[in-house]
Amino acid sequence: MHIRLRVKRFEAGKDREPYWSEYGLEVEATDRVLDALHRVKWHQDGTLTFRRSCAHGVCGSDAMLINGRNRLACKVLIRDVGDHIAVEPLRGYPVIRDLVVDQSAFFRKYESVQPYLVADGEPPARERRQSPAERERFDDTTKCILCMACTTSCPVFWPNPEYVGPAAIVNAHRFLFDSRDTEKEGRLARLNAGDGVWRCRTIFNCVEACPREINITRAIGEVKKALLLQKG
Amino acid sequence: MALVYHQHEVVIVGAGGAGLMAALALRGRDVAVLSKLHPVRSHTGAAQGGIGAALGNMEEDHWEWHMFDTVKGSDYLADQDAVEILAREAVETVMDLEHWGLPFSRTPEGKIAQRKFGGHTKEYGKEAVRRSCYAADRTGHMILQTCYQQGIRHQVKYYNEYMVVELLVESGRTAGVVAVSIADGQLHVFHAKAVLFATGGFGRMYEVTSNAHALTGDGVAVAWQAGVPIEDMEFFQFHPTGIYRLGILITEGARGEGGKLLNGKGERFMERYAPSMLDLAPRDIISRCIYRELREGRGIHGQGYVHLDLTHLGAKVIHEKLPDITDFVRTYLGIDPVKEPIPVQPTAHYAMGGIPTDMWGRVVVDEKNKILPGFYAAGECACVSVHGANRLGTNSLVDILVFGRRAGRDIARYVGENEYPPLAPHAGEATGERLARLREGRNGSGGRAESVADLRETLQREMMEKASVFRTSGLLAQMSEKLFELRQRFQNVVIQDRSTVFNTDLMEALELGFLLDVAEATVAAALARSESRGAHFREDFPQRDDQNWLKHSLAYRGADGKIEFKYKPVTITRFEPKERKY
Ligand SMILES: Cc1cc2nc3c(=O)[nH]c(=O)nc-3n(C[C@H](O)[C@H](O)[C@H](O)COP(=O)(O)OP(=O)(O)OC[C@H]3O[C@@H](n4cnc5c(N)ncnc54)[C@H](O)[C@@H]3O)c2cc1C
Ligand code: SF4
Ligand code: FES
């Protein structure tokens, strides 16, 4: 089928304003949007710039705005978005070039929640025991691939770039609810701060955006509840 | 553009499981980790099925059994002293991962859960054993995350989106690397005492592959260009179950949970080929069987695929143990694996060959295992060799972590004992000039301008046809000529993007150069080896020939560009080569 692909272009240090490029091309309905971007890059316009690696939704490289929604270009098929496709970079972080945004501030927020297991005492010779139920407690939030789709879809984040954002909260949740972790307090205090979890207004954009189908709003709710219980 | 200089005791190139594990072993030292992808984008994150270790959590198991299976799976080409280390240290490595927080799936008693995987058996081949430790079907994702998270905790220094293009060797010692920072096109020289390559595989030399776009053999090619030989390049594994045409992997764990392969007549054809291990025979064997079925017209509706049937497992098992592949199949094929079988074909998956190393990740440059001081390699880009002619499932994750860590430990010793080697005054400048020519479109000798995409597509298609699962001297010789032609045309590649900012057009051109290197080595080594062993199957020499070929190949690029071979013996300790039956 024939599609019209429009891409918002910008090069830091060169362009003053973003502009649109438009390409017409033949694709299969079952192709990924990433395939269409590749076809343009490889056969029409080598300057079109985006990140990608795995091409099947596991590395988190290619989140972008596709027809107004944050999605992974490799995980959405042409037939799901139609023959007029508009692609833009994620909102809220500086654009380096075309669909490539600067991720450093995003990763700093991730690091601020101590995204690693802290467990007091010497580890045993074998594994620490954890029941399947305890393991299930944080299963959902282990799926995060740090693609940035959630945080950059959040209307609270856009005007408040200091807001820690859903992705960081998801990753805090992953450790807060891990029965092996002993560093609950530091993490909770971090999320209780002014730029923390209370900024969330339960707008659900993040849940819509998450390509891993993580129930982010539920995770955020559980973190809020843990904070309230701690206070009470 | 002026070069920017850095000095770090250790430079690690690659931030997948192997690179990160080495960095963790070196914590507290002056280490820089350079990666062309952000670490969490590395392809270790795509691994699904599990990491093998004889924990014995579900049933009796021993590292000796694991060792035997690995040696047999390798078609007796693996070095047994190295395999012994792999199988022994697998156990403590998995425990370390658990202590670092890796969320393994659990048994009812709260232990790490384990499942069956191809070629892993109890009592030296009796029947399948549950040895693969897993976190649903995203084990690699959890390994990559856990190692990256520990790196944050221990303040590892990352240079993200830096692409290494040259290895610096000064008077017989490793002196550092040259890298491009992708964001601004700046060229950097890293002066180091020790360099570790952990750049992963090169499945992208084939058309249908489970490998990420970024897996283009960079480290292997860069080492080769610096005069280091590359080992056992003729052995490239095709995994039996890639999604038809797309190549996206469906883990062997799906068969470990009971999934079956069916042909167009609805037959469970593995009954004919591997009566005891059936669908859990090793990958080289199953991939060949699938191709035989297809050739003999028993594909589904006569097409180029067979079915992987999970429907009898039931929704609960599929959703709990295989959620990600369920998602892939739904997303890309619109099929629900609970209700319908999955169309699959063999997909280019894993490079057994690579940069030759000893058991401490030290790169060795000849058949007598002479060391190139300061140069190390680990992970899929390295060849220890623990996988020989065919890797067993779950053994790469063990390999990258066990040998990534050993390399890190030996580097700690080495940098403590040695000063910085001298750095040549103009190091990196020639590379800078070459890159500038490419970027500014001043490349080539005036012939017709060639496009990277066209050359790469030809390479991938032709490699698939002529140098994949079934090989003959005729096809390989044709491929060799084709590669010669592609190499000529590559000299005239002209890219469109002239910018220094995030120039992925330039990256792709460099990556194509690397792919051509690894493809040339693969085809030359395959042509030279006139026997069939593991993943290397020659229709004109269908038998294994231990008399002449129980040895590793080392490919050298001669000064005239020609490829020459040396061979080195296989280390055999416990298990004498036997016929391989499953
Ligand atoms: C889909 C899939 C499923 C798999 N499942 C399993 C499994 O269940 N069990 C198992 O044991 N094995 C599995 N494997 C194999 C295993 O995952 C890989 O072999 C292993 O993860 C490779 O790890 P690595 O650290 O060597 O390389 P990678 O994780 O591939 O990392 C390579 C790193 O090198 C960097 N790099 C590359 N080139 C350059 C350059 N020029 N400059 C700078 N940096 C560079 C990249 O940015 C990246 O960080 C699977 C493989 C695939 C493809
Ligand atoms: S929670 Fe989902 S959307 Fe957000 S970063 Fe993680 S995977 Fe992406
Ligand atoms: S390319 Fe990896 S998530 Fe899309």
Side-chain angles (χ1 to χ4, degrees), chain A residues 114-134:
Chain A
Q114 293 175 273
Y116 40 79
L117 189 86
V118 180
D120 290 342
E122 276 298 295
R126 299 285 294 193
E127 63 265 59
R128 290 194 181 85
R129 297 291 178 102
Q130 183 170 58
S131 72
E134 287 168 330

Side-chain angles (χ1 to χ4, degrees), chain A residues 191-210:
Chain A
L191 294 172
N192 203 22
D195 58 358
V197 72
W198 302 110
R199 290 279 179 110
C200 170
R201 293 278 170 270
T202 329
I203 301 164
F204 287 101
N205 276 16
C206 53
V207 181
E208 290 260 303
C210 180

Side-chain angles (χ1 to χ4, degrees), chain B residues 58 69 79 265 303 366 405 410 415 448 462 472 508:
Chain B
M58 320 281 287
D69 292 335
D79 290 316
K265 293 173 143 179
Q303 303 269 320
D366 68 11
R405 168 149 65 191
D410 198 69
V415 299
R448 193 172 77 99
E462 298 273 330
T472 64
E508 288 191 28

Side-chain angles (χ1 to χ4, degrees), chain B residues 14-15 17-18 35-37 42 44 47 49-50 162 164 199 218 380 394 396-397:
Chain B
S35 176
K36 70 174 176 180
L37 304 172
S42 302
T44 291
Y162 274 58
V164 170
T199 56
D218 306 16
E380 192 170 335
T394 78
S396 175
L397 292 174

Side-chain angles (χ1 to χ4, degrees), chain B residues 16 36 50 59 80 138 170 182 202 213 397 419 452 515:
Chain B
K36 70 174 176 180
E59 58 193 311
Q80 297 187 12
R138 50 176 187 281
E170 294 300 334
I182 299 165
F202 37 91
H213 285 280
L397 292 174
E419 295 303 316
V452 170
L515 283 177

Side-chain angles (χ1 to χ4, degrees), chain B residues 112-156:
Chain B
I112 295 170
Q114 297 184 277
R115 65 174 157 217
K116 294 177 184 169
F117 239 78
H120 289 280
T121 71
K122 59 173 80 168
E123 294 173 62
Y124 308 103
K126 272 216 178 119
E127 55 181 311
V129 73
R130 280 169 284 186
R131 182 177 294 145
S132 167
C133 313
Y134 62 95
D137 54 355
R138 50 176 187 281
T139 315
H141 166 73
M142 297 317 334
I143 288 179
L144 185 66
Q145 295 265 325
T146 302
C147 292
Y148 178 63
Q149 290 161 350
Q150 288 298 311
I152 293 174
R153 186 172 190 189
H154 297 292
Q155 293 164 351
V156 170

